[in-house]
Amino acid sequence: SLNRMDNDTALHILNNTFIGDNTGGVFYFFCNVMNGIQNYSIRNNIITEYASIGSLVFADQYSYFNGSNGTNCPINGSVLPGTEVQENLKLSGNIFADNISDVGFVNEASDDYHLISGSPAIDTGDDVSNVFTDDAEGNARSIPYDMGAYEYAP
Protein backbone atom coordinates (compact mmCIF):
# COMPACT_ATOMS: atom_id res chain seq x y z
CA SER A 1 0.00 0.00 0.00
CA LEU A 2 1.01 3.61 -0.51
CA ASN A 3 0.21 5.87 2.39
CA ARG A 4 0.63 9.57 3.06
CA MET A 5 3.59 10.79 5.12
CA ASP A 6 2.91 13.10 8.05
CA ASN A 7 4.26 16.25 6.37
CA ASP A 8 3.80 18.34 3.25
CA THR A 9 6.61 16.76 1.21
CA ALA A 10 5.67 15.98 -2.39
CA LEU A 11 5.46 12.25 -3.06
CA HIS A 12 6.65 10.99 -6.46
CA ILE A 13 5.83 7.42 -7.52
CA LEU A 14 7.30 7.32 -11.01
CA ASN A 15 8.33 4.66 -13.52
CA ASN A 16 7.80 1.58 -11.38
CA THR A 17 6.67 -1.89 -12.36
CA PHE A 18 4.27 -3.36 -9.81
CA ILE A 19 3.39 -7.03 -10.30
CA GLY A 20 0.77 -8.67 -8.10
CA ASP A 21 0.56 -12.40 -7.48
CA ASN A 22 -2.81 -12.79 -9.23
CA THR A 23 -4.44 -14.22 -6.12
CA GLY A 24 -7.01 -11.51 -5.49
CA GLY A 25 -4.84 -8.88 -3.86
CA VAL A 26 -5.60 -5.17 -4.05
CA PHE A 27 -3.05 -2.54 -5.05
CA TYR A 28 -4.27 0.36 -2.99
CA PHE A 29 -3.32 3.77 -1.76
CA PHE A 30 -5.07 6.21 0.46
CA CYS A 31 -4.71 9.63 2.00
CA ASN A 32 -4.78 10.18 5.72
CA VAL A 33 -6.56 13.48 6.07
CA MET A 34 -3.99 15.64 7.83
CA ASN A 35 -3.21 19.33 7.92
CA GLY A 36 -1.21 20.63 4.99
CA ILE A 37 -1.27 19.68 1.35
CA GLN A 38 0.81 16.80 0.06
CA ASN A 39 0.94 16.56 -3.72
CA TYR A 40 1.12 13.07 -5.15
CA SER A 41 2.63 12.39 -8.55
CA ILE A 42 1.82 8.85 -9.68
CA ARG A 43 2.92 8.53 -13.32
CA ASN A 44 4.53 6.17 -15.80
CA ASN A 45 3.92 3.07 -13.69
CA ILE A 46 2.91 -0.38 -14.85
CA ILE A 47 0.51 -2.07 -12.44
CA THR A 48 -0.70 -5.57 -13.26
CA GLU A 49 -1.97 -8.86 -11.82
CA TYR A 50 -4.04 -7.31 -9.02
CA ALA A 51 -7.71 -8.15 -8.49
CA SER A 52 -8.48 -4.49 -7.95
CA ILE A 53 -6.55 -1.27 -8.10
CA GLY A 54 -7.44 1.84 -6.25
CA SER A 55 -7.97 2.50 -2.64
CA LEU A 56 -8.41 1.19 0.87
CA VAL A 57 -11.08 -1.39 1.60
CA PHE A 58 -13.30 0.42 4.08
CA ALA A 59 -16.61 -0.95 5.29
CA ASP A 60 -16.60 -3.43 2.38
CA GLN A 61 -16.11 -0.61 -0.09
CA TYR A 62 -13.09 1.14 -1.56
CA SER A 63 -12.67 4.73 -0.46
CA TYR A 64 -9.53 6.65 -1.37
CA PHE A 65 -10.01 9.22 1.37
CA ASN A 66 -11.61 6.97 3.95
CA GLY A 67 -14.84 8.88 3.42
CA SER A 68 -13.29 12.34 3.66
CA ASN A 69 -12.45 14.89 0.98
CA GLY A 70 -9.24 14.93 -1.02
CA THR A 71 -8.23 18.56 -1.06
CA ASN A 72 -5.06 17.83 0.94
CA CYS A 73 -3.89 15.01 -1.34
CA PRO A 74 -4.14 15.99 -5.00
CA ILE A 75 -2.91 13.30 -7.39
CA ASN A 76 -1.32 14.37 -10.67
CA GLY A 77 -2.72 17.85 -10.17
CA SER A 78 -6.33 16.77 -9.61
CA VAL A 79 -8.39 16.48 -6.46
CA LEU A 80 -10.23 13.18 -6.47
CA PRO A 81 -13.64 12.85 -4.85
CA GLY A 82 -13.29 11.21 -1.47
CA THR A 83 -16.85 10.32 -0.75
CA GLU A 84 -17.39 8.17 -3.81
CA VAL A 85 -16.55 4.50 -4.00
CA GLN A 86 -13.24 4.11 -5.85
CA GLU A 87 -13.27 0.35 -6.32
CA ASN A 88 -11.14 0.30 -9.45
CA LEU A 89 -9.48 3.69 -9.57
CA LYS A 90 -7.12 3.77 -12.55
CA LEU A 91 -5.14 6.98 -12.72
CA SER A 92 -4.34 8.29 -16.16
CA GLY A 93 -0.65 8.39 -17.03
CA ASN A 94 -0.12 4.79 -15.91
CA ILE A 95 -0.74 1.35 -17.40
CA PHE A 96 -3.18 -0.86 -15.52
CA ALA A 97 -3.47 -4.35 -16.95
CA ASP A 98 -5.61 -7.14 -15.56
CA ASN A 99 -3.56 -9.65 -17.55
CA ILE A 100 0.23 -9.43 -17.43
CA SER A 101 0.53 -10.68 -21.01
CA ASP A 102 -1.12 -7.45 -22.20
CA VAL A 103 1.85 -5.37 -21.05
CA GLY A 104 4.52 -6.78 -23.36
CA PHE A 105 7.28 -8.02 -21.07
CA VAL A 106 10.22 -10.09 -22.30
CA ASN A 107 9.48 -13.05 -20.02
CA GLU A 108 7.30 -12.54 -16.97
CA ALA A 109 7.58 -16.24 -16.05
CA SER A 110 11.27 -15.67 -15.30
CA ASP A 111 10.68 -12.18 -13.85
CA ASP A 112 12.17 -10.35 -16.84
CA TYR A 113 10.08 -7.19 -16.96
CA HIS A 114 11.97 -5.45 -19.75
CA LEU A 115 9.69 -4.32 -22.57
CA ILE A 116 9.34 -6.01 -25.95
CA SER A 117 8.70 -4.29 -29.27
CA GLY A 118 5.04 -3.35 -29.56
CA SER A 119 4.49 -2.94 -25.81
CA PRO A 120 1.90 -0.26 -25.02
CA ALA A 121 4.39 1.09 -22.44
CA ILE A 122 6.92 2.24 -25.06
CA ASP A 123 7.07 6.00 -25.66
CA THR A 124 3.78 6.64 -23.84
CA GLY A 125 5.08 8.04 -20.54
CA ASP A 126 5.30 11.59 -19.32
CA ASP A 127 8.58 13.50 -19.25
CA VAL A 128 9.72 13.37 -15.62
CA SER A 129 13.34 14.32 -16.34
CA ASN A 130 13.09 16.99 -13.66
CA VAL A 131 13.10 14.08 -11.15
CA PHE A 132 15.38 11.51 -12.87
CA THR A 133 16.77 10.61 -16.29
CA ASP A 134 17.83 6.94 -15.98
CA ASP A 135 15.94 3.68 -15.70
CA ALA A 136 16.31 1.08 -12.92
CA GLU A 137 19.52 -0.24 -14.49
CA GLY A 138 21.09 3.17 -15.04
CA ASN A 139 20.27 3.34 -18.76
CA ALA A 140 19.42 6.80 -20.07
CA ARG A 141 15.75 7.38 -20.74
CA SER A 142 14.64 9.05 -23.94
CA ILE A 143 11.72 11.40 -24.36
CA PRO A 144 8.95 10.40 -24.54
CA TYR A 145 9.63 8.18 -21.54
CA ASP A 146 8.66 4.53 -21.51
CA MET A 147 6.39 3.45 -18.67
CA GLY A 148 7.68 1.04 -16.06
CA ALA A 149 11.10 0.49 -14.52
CA TYR A 150 13.03 -0.25 -17.72
CA GLU A 151 13.60 1.80 -20.85
CA TYR A 152 12.94 -0.24 -24.00
CA ALA A 153 16.15 -1.23 -25.79
CA PRO A 154 15.65 -2.83 -29.23
Side-chain angles (χ1 to χ4, degrees), residues 120-142:
I122 296 172
D123 292 340
T124 57
D126 293 332
D127 178 359
V128 293
S129 59
N130 62 320
V131 181
F132 62 87
T133 57
D134 296 337
D135 73 2
E137 296 177 320
N139 300 310
R141 290 197 177 263
S142 60

Side-chain angles (χ1 to χ4, degrees), residues 7 13 27 51 55 64 74 92 108 116:
N7 58 45
I13 303 168
F27 182 92
S55 47
Y64 174 71
S92 63
E108 59 269 2
I116 61 170

Side-chain angles (χ1 to χ4, degrees), residues 46-128:
I46 297 171
I47 303 169
T48 185
E49 294 292 300
Y50 289 92
S52 187
I53 298 164
S55 47
L56 178 68
V57 177
F58 178 71
D60 295 324
Q61 295 184 353
Y62 297 81
S63 176
Y64 174 71
F65 299 104
N66 207 13
S68 193
N69 76 52
T71 57
N72 284 2
C73 300
I75 297 179
N76 299 341
S78 297
V79 173
L80 302 177
T83 55
E84 295 178 11
V85 173
Q86 301 289 334
E87 183 174 347
N88 212 9
L89 177 65
K90 296 182 178 176
L91 302 170
S92 63
N94 299 278
I95 289 181
F96 297 93
D98 294 331
N99 189 326
I100 196 168
S101 63
D102 294 338
V103 178
F105 292 127
V106 169
N107 189 341
E108 59 269 2
S110 63
D111 299 328
D112 186 346
Y113 301 116
H114 291 85
L115 304 174
I116 61 170
S117 177
S119 168
I122 296 172
D123 292 340
T124 57
D126 293 332
D127 178 359
V128 293

Side-chain angles (χ1 to χ4, degrees), residues 3-20:
N3 194 349
R4 180 186 169 145
M5 297 173 284
D6 190 14
N7 58 45
D8 59 0
T9 304
L11 177 63
H12 299 282
I13 303 168
L14 308 171
N15 283 96
N16 296 284
T17 300
F18 297 102
I19 310 293

